Amino acid sequence: MNPEAGPDQTAPPSALDLQLPRQLLDPGLTGLPAADADGLVAVRLRCVDGRIAAIEAWPGCPHHGLDPAALPLALTPLVEPHAHLDKAFSWAPHANRSGTIAGAMAANRNEANERTQEQIHGRGERALERGWRQGLRAMRSHIDSLGAWWEPSWQALEALRLRWADRLELELVALVPLAHWGTPAGEALAARVAATGGLLGGVLGPPYRPSRDDQRALEALLRLAERHGCGIDLHIDESDQGQARGVRMLLQVLRHQPCSVPITCSHASSLALLPERQLRPLLDQLAAAGVAVVALPGTNHWLLDRRPGCTPRLRPQAPVRQLQAAGVLVAIGGDNVQDPWFPGGDFDPIEVLRFSVAASHQAPWLRQGLAPFSTEAARLLRLPWDGVLRQGGPADLVVLAACSWSEVLARSPQRRVLRGGHWLPPPLSQQPAAVLASVGGMTAHLSP
Ligand SMILES: [Zn+2]
């Protein structure tokens, strides 16, 4: 199969010859060859009525001969565990060219004061369309939920959640200053969020100033979440200082106030500043408390350890590999997309993976390297499908125009996405037509 679409390739395929990571194939399958050094196995997938009818060892074919390394590399659709749909694509009118957290907060505030329901709906629609066509099947998004814009934001994104439910599962998290959960307005918000299956969020630690009331606010949040049965996802320790103050406080509170709802720590960046002997016991405590972590290397690399005129020396980000070794559930996400907190990003899960290979040493040929984008992220969002291909399971794939992980890393690969046995239309170019035409003209001059 050629992943570069031709007009004859839009029909549902009945058989696909691909290389897949062994960890994304049913572990109970017999008769498959051992995975190669890239962790890949060549298979022939048979699809019927949108489901996987059979997974067989690749027998070779006239087109590719007997070299499995010439087959396209495929994954199952991926999961974005941390996004901000309400502010996505707001960089152009609200750029934060200083790249500082203070600048991002100020621009975020200005932008939020102008938000309308239609605008948030438009941003969310564009984001989900980009993500879906580029290979996402689920997303968790935080929503700024304090101030005049919270109700329109929830209405717009709740409508999108329902409209997109059969294409991309969307989870919504109410993001407020932590102290809000101790107020009557916070109680009302929690009831509203719970009614639509959302999560309660907040910020513990920088960029907000630490407060002596943080602990009481955290206790109030845990009580509310428990009462409403809502999961929790905190922006915590997103900092190049403070040495995991927020994580320590959370663990301390959980010791005297255990909580049965799932808890996620997003960012947890300043954990990386701890010496190993202090880090290890904290990671063990996170694992014992069942607290998950979402690492966000892209935004962390852009914002943290930023000093005028200096290239950063510290690279604070959640210590993914040590967390995994301690038994903590870890997912990796893209966070901000073209908003005051980061000017780039495009809801492209393959780009997040490519960046993390260098930024976090997540080697995708290792089980633990790939899992935070796929199976572990699915576990975090409690999705019904873990992302492993099985007979009778969904015929859902992201087929890359690459035959090895090195090729995936060499250049952003074109791809085709199969959902329920049907090929999706490719992502629309986001480049203005005039720019493309002008580059096309230059290319014509440069080509031999
Ligand atoms: Zn975030």
Side-chain angles (χ1 to χ4, degrees):
M1 199 213 65
N2 179 1
E4 292 186 21
D8 58 332
Q9 291 184 324
T10 53
S14 56
L16 292 164
D17 293 342
L18 300 164
Q19 298 185 80
L20 272 145
R22 184 63 182 87
Q23 71 194 82
L24 298 183
L25 294 166
D26 184 350
L29 278 173
T30 53
L32 296 185
D36 68 10
D38 256 357
L40 304 174
V41 177
V43 291
R44 175 163 291 175
L45 301 177
R46 297 193 185 278
C47 311
V48 176
D49 295 334
R51 315 297 290 182
I52 299 292
I55 303 172
E56 302 159 358
W58 181 63
C61 71
H63 186 57
H64 291 99
L66 287 171
D67 182 9
L71 297 175
L73 196 166
L75 306 169
T76 49
L78 299 151
V79 175
E80 172 54 80
H82 188 118
H84 290 267
L85 294 186
D86 53 350
K87 61 191 80 170
F89 309 116
S90 63
W91 170 269
H94 296 280
N96 164 36
R97 295 189 195 282
S98 70
T100 62
I101 287 182
M105 286 183 73
N108 194 152
R109 255 193 309 272
N110 290 339
E111 177 272 312
N113 286 331
E114 296 173 6
R115 277 180 209 167
T116 64
Q117 191 167 330
E118 295 68 36
Q119 192 181 38
I120 293 163
H121 193 277
R123 290 172 181 173
E125 177 76 22
R126 180 176 166 195
L128 295 173
E129 182 84 27
R130 297 294 300 159
W132 174 63
R133 290 198 193 206
Q134 295 184 109
L136 282 177
R137 67 184 176 99
M139 186 188 294
R140 176 183 286 182
S141 174
H142 297 250
I143 310 176
D144 291 355
S145 300
L146 187 73
W149 56 83
W150 84 263
E151 183 62 38
S153 303
W154 275 83
Q155 281 182 14
L157 292 169
E158 182 58 22
L160 283 176
R161 187 178 76 80
L162 297 173
R163 204 168 85 69
W164 275 83
D166 59 349
R167 289 171 286 174
L168 195 152
E169 287 189 51
L170 180 59
E171 261 194 4
L172 301 175
V173 188
L175 175 59
V176 292
L178 211 55
H180 189 60
W181 296 120
T183 68
E187 296 246 353
L189 176 62
R192 165 81 157 82
V193 171
T196 54
L199 290 84
L200 309 187
V203 185
L204 181 53
Y208 291 100
R209 231 187 276 280
S211 154
R212 270 186 301 191
D213 297 331
D214 278 348
Q215 181 162 334
R216 260 181 294 157
L218 188 55
E219 289 164 356
L221 166 60
L222 295 182
R223 273 194 303 274
L224 267 183
E226 189 79 49
R227 194 189 322 147
H228 289 289
C230 296
I232 293 172
D233 191 332
L234 292 166
H235 282 67
I236 193 165
D237 296 329
E238 181 182 2
S239 179
D240 49 29
Q241 301 167 39
Q243 306 215 325
R245 173 183 174 272
V247 166
R248 288 173 198 273
M249 184 181 289
L250 173 65
L251 288 168
Q252 188 190 339
V253 168
L254 285 173
R255 271 196 288 278
H256 66 79
Q257 190 182 325
C259 192
S260 66
V261 303
I263 300 177
T264 304
C265 287
S266 285
H267 289 288
S269 320
S270 63
L271 272 176
L273 304 174
L274 294 172
E276 203 70 21
R277 68 179 186 289
Q278 289 179 29
L279 179 63
R280 287 255 178 120
L282 269 191
L283 303 189
D284 289 341
Q285 290 168 41
L286 281 172
V291 174
V293 169
V294 173
L296 301 159
T299 301
N300 288 166
H301 275 226
W302 176 244
L303 293 171
L304 301 184
D305 196 29
R306 182 175 281 276
R307 291 161 294 133
C310 296
T311 299
R313 285 177 299 145
L314 302 176
R315 282 309 200 186
Q317 57 173 316
V320 176
R321 303 185 71 184
Q322 295 95 318
L323 284 158
Q324 290 174 326
V328 176
L329 169 60
V330 186
I332 298 180
D335 205 355
N336 302 94
V337 171
Q338 300 170 51
D339 68 21
W341 301 84
F342 184 62
D346 192 26
F347 297 99
D348 180 346
I350 302 298
E351 276 309 296
V352 176
L353 182 151
R354 280 160 44 83
F355 181 78
S356 302
V357 172
S360 312
H361 294 186
Q362 289 300 114
W365 47 85
L366 299 178
R367 174 174 289 274
Q368 296 288 58
L370 185 59
F373 309 94
S374 56
T375 48
E376 292 293 83
R379 195 150 74 89
L380 181 92
L381 268 68
R382 304 186 156 210
L383 300 177
W385 181 37
D386 58 6
V388 175
L389 288 178
R390 296 180 182 83
Q391 190 178 346
D396 287 4
L397 292 162
V398 182
V399 181
L400 303 175
C403 299
S404 68
W405 284 117
S406 176
E407 284 186 16
V408 173
L409 299 177
R411 64 198 69 83
S412 189
Q414 292 187 29
R415 74 204 69 168
R416 297 206 73 194
V417 177
L418 189 78
R419 295 296 301 275
H422 288 80
W423 295 113
L424 301 192
L428 296 171
S429 171
Q430 295 293 292
Q431 302 292 334
V435 174
L436 286 177
S438 128
V439 173
M442 288 178 210
T443 316
H445 286 299
L446 292 171
S447 298

